[in-house]
Amino acid sequence: MDDPQPVRRPGGRSARVSAAVHQAVTELVGERGYGSFTVSDVADRAGVADSSIYRRWGSLDKLLTDVTQTRLKARSPMPDTGSLAGDLHALAANVAREITGPDGLAVLRLTVALTGNGEQGLQARDDFLAERARLLQSVLDRARARGEHPPDTLTVLDHVMAPMYIRVLFGATPLTPDYVKGLVDRLL
Amino acid sequence: MDDPQPVRRPGGRSARVSAAVHQAVTELVGERGYGSFTVSDVADRAGVADSSIYRRWGSLDKLLTDVTQTRLKARSPMPDTGSLAGDLHALAANVAREITGPDGLAVLRLTVALTGNGEQGLQARDDFLAERARLLQSVLDRARARGEHPPDTLTVLDHVMAPMYIRVLFGATPLTPDYVKGLVDRLL
């Protein structure tokens, strides 16, 4: 007997549909904000049928969570410059570039919005935090192994990441290289 | 000739409808998150007709913006304890109480969501930032007048407010009194 489940090959039609739908969601969140578009809007923009989206994701919220999780997992690897200061400066610059990039605000905003949306949303939020904490921890562990005295993870999140996130979320001011560097210098 | 515009007396029917609708919105944002309810949901919970909401606010987005702005304007006055440290500790404790209170997360989340929603949303965001900055500035100005050397407004926002906002928005950890006090001590 054949396996009734469809086989999904990377690079196949399934992957192309997925990429088009993810891109459409990211653009719509960027343009209109969360809560201001429907499954039909996504389908139109991605060039697929509404039913394809419902069949694969089940609901708009599940699709949004999938987009957020996929984006968060695609992060670049942590820098390894040989010193705590070098690593943290590189890390802060990466995060700044990421969240001020074309889809950065959309992903941040989606993560915040999803934390109010039940189990799936909490999962997306926990993935976001766990991913950030894990990457950061590897930098701090390496520093400790070299005999440096790094701050703890939450302190870096509070005083380097949080100010950048809040400035981007509230659109307050641009994240200049001097500003980002200053956050790390101040911490160290 | 009579004035054709309706007269709205504080405490009259108009104010009661407004209060009921605002309360319904705050509850729904808290329970379901932004983007997961309609004008009808709000009307049902507030015990008013859908048409009353459309007549007064025009759209769900305009209603959400009005709720956010009203909440932000209802802030308690700034503390005046006689010292910079005392004022900042009181201020940080007030903000922590406010954003961890029953509707605090809903208002924060709504502010973030609205920044993606055009002119009205940007106005709500600017009101949020301007209100915070204005209150904080009065504390810092008083300190300077006493001969103290306060940090600037953005530094307080980055290192006292931003960590609290991000922790609440991402639901990471509770804001204990020791944690909040530590943020201010570290800054000073």
Side-chain angles (χ1 to χ4, degrees), chain A residues 30-179:
Chain A
E31 290 166 22
R32 304 190 196 170
Y34 175 74
S36 303
F37 56 88
T38 63
V39 164
S40 293
D41 295 329
V42 175
D44 281 353
R45 184 165 302 209
V48 303
D50 291 20
S51 58
S52 301
I53 292 181
Y54 284 112
R55 198 164 49 237
R56 188 169 308 185
W57 285 279
S59 72
L60 182 59
D61 269 356
K62 284 184 184 160
L63 168 59
L64 294 175
T65 304
D66 182 39
V67 171
T68 312
Q69 287 175 329
T70 305
R71 294 294 306 250
L72 296 175
K73 281 174 189 151
R75 301 293 174 200
S76 48
M78 244 340 70
D80 187 1
T81 64
S83 77
L84 175 63
D87 283 359
L88 287 181
H89 278 123
L91 169 61
N94 284 351
V95 170
R97 193 164 37 240
E98 195 178 279
I99 62 179
T100 56
D103 308 327
L105 175 57
V107 173
L108 258 190
R109 204 184 272 148
L110 204 47
T111 308
V112 168
L114 287 174
T115 65
N117 277 17
E119 274 305 309
Q120 287 264 333
L122 292 178
Q123 187 58 47
R125 181 202 72 192
D126 289 347
D127 280 11
F128 180 88
L129 295 173
E131 173 72 1
R132 284 281 188 245
R134 191 184 62 74
L135 291 174
L136 185 53
Q137 195 57 55
S138 68
V139 162
L140 302 179
D141 286 347
R142 276 204 309 270
R144 204 169 290 107
R146 281 190 303 262
E148 296 188 88
H149 299 283
D152 68 21
T153 311
L154 281 176
T155 304
V156 180
L157 291 174
D158 277 349
H159 296 285
V160 178
M161 306 304 164
M164 295 196 286
Y165 291 161
I166 284 295
R167 286 190 177 212
V168 169
L169 281 171
F170 289 159
T173 38
L175 303 180
T176 64
D178 277 356
Y179 169 73

Side-chain angles (χ1 to χ4, degrees), chain B residues 25-58:
Chain B
V25 166
T26 307
E27 288 174 13
L28 286 166
V29 173
E31 290 166 21
R32 304 191 197 171
Y34 175 73
S36 304
F37 56 88
T38 63
V39 164
S40 292
D41 294 330
V42 175
D44 280 355
R45 185 166 302 209
V48 304
D50 291 19
S51 58
S52 302
I53 293 181
Y54 284 112
R55 197 164 50 237
R56 189 170 307 184
W57 285 278

